[in-house]
Amino acid sequence: MEERFFAKLENACEEKQSLLCVGLDPQLEAGESSDPYGAILGKNRRVIEQTLPFACCYKPNIAFYEACGLEGLRALKDTLELIPEETPVILDAKRGDIGHTASAYAEALFSWYKVGCATVSPYLGRESVAPLLARPGKGLFVLCRTSNPQAGDLQAMLVGGQGRER
C-alpha cells in the first residue's frame, strides 16, 4: 500500500529537519523558446539537484508547463521523474469542476502525473472535489482564502440576502 501523502510529507520534514517546499515554476528566457523541453528540464534538474538535501517537497505549478504546449507538459512529466520517490510532490493545478470533469482531473493528476497531492478550488461545491478526495492516500490543498492583493475583491465581498435563492 502506498504511503499516505501527509504522512510522507511529515516524514520528509522530520528526516530533513526542514519545512522547505520548492516551487518549480519555470519561465523561459529569450532564446529558450526554440527548445522549451530542454530549457525547462535543464533548469528543473539544476534546482532539484541543488535543493534536494533541504527540500521536504516540491511544488510544480502546471500553468508554466501548459504555457509551453506539449513540450512543456512532457517536461513536467519528466521533471516529476527526476524527483526521488520518497520526496513528496504537490502539483499546483488549482483544478475545480463538476462531475465527469472532476473525475478526469483526478485521473490526470494522480494516475497520469502520479503526484501525491494537488491544489484544488472548491468554488463549484463538494462535487468539484469529491473525485479527488476519493483517491486513497492522496492529499489535497483546498483553496479557501488566498493572500494575493486582489483576493479581497471577491473573497471579502459582503453579499446581501436580498434576492438570494436558497
Side-chain angles (χ1 to χ4, degrees):
M1 184 171 127
E2 185 178 320
E3 184 178 16
R4 295 173 54 94
F5 176 78
F6 288 106
K8 185 176 182 177
L9 179 60
E10 189 173 323
N11 290 339
C13 291
E14 285 181 25
E15 180 183 307
K16 297 196 177 181
Q17 290 294 293
S18 172
L19 298 175
L20 178 64
C21 175
V22 176
L24 296 171
D25 306 341
Q27 296 181 45
L28 298 181
E29 305 287 330
E32 292 178 323
S33 59
S34 63
D35 179 20
Y37 172 82
I40 291 170
L41 197 61
K43 285 180 181 191
N44 286 347
R45 177 178 279 118
R46 287 187 295 280
V47 169
I48 292 166
E49 287 172 353
Q50 292 172 5
T51 60
L52 191 56
F54 315 103
C56 63
C57 68
Y58 289 90
K59 186 182 68 68
N61 185 315
I62 199 167
F64 292 95
Y65 301 88
E66 290 173 337
C68 294
L70 291 176
E71 292 300 294
L73 293 174
R74 191 166 69 99
L76 172 59
K77 185 84 165 132
D78 288 349
T79 292
L80 294 171
E81 292 177 11
L82 293 174
I83 300 169
E85 191 174 324
E86 67 274 7
T87 304
V89 175
I90 303 163
L91 188 53
D92 191 355
K94 295 180 189 78
R95 300 297 194 224
D97 209 327
I98 59 172
H100 293 305
T101 306
S103 294
Y105 282 144
E107 184 68 17
L109 298 170
F110 298 134
S111 297
W112 172 249
Y113 288 113
K114 298 180 178 155
V115 296
C117 183
T119 60
V120 295
S121 176
Y123 188 76
L124 298 178
R126 183 176 310 208
E127 184 183 9
S128 67
V129 295
L132 295 116
L133 287 169
R135 296 294 180 116
K138 301 300 182 181
L140 291 181
F141 280 96
V142 180
L143 282 155
C144 296
R145 189 164 180 92
T146 62
S147 61
N148 55 304
Q150 284 80 40
D153 293 352
L154 181 64
Q155 294 172 13
M157 184 184 295
L158 296 176
V159 179
Q162 195 171 32
R164 190 170 141 199
E165 292 183 28
R166 290 196 180 256

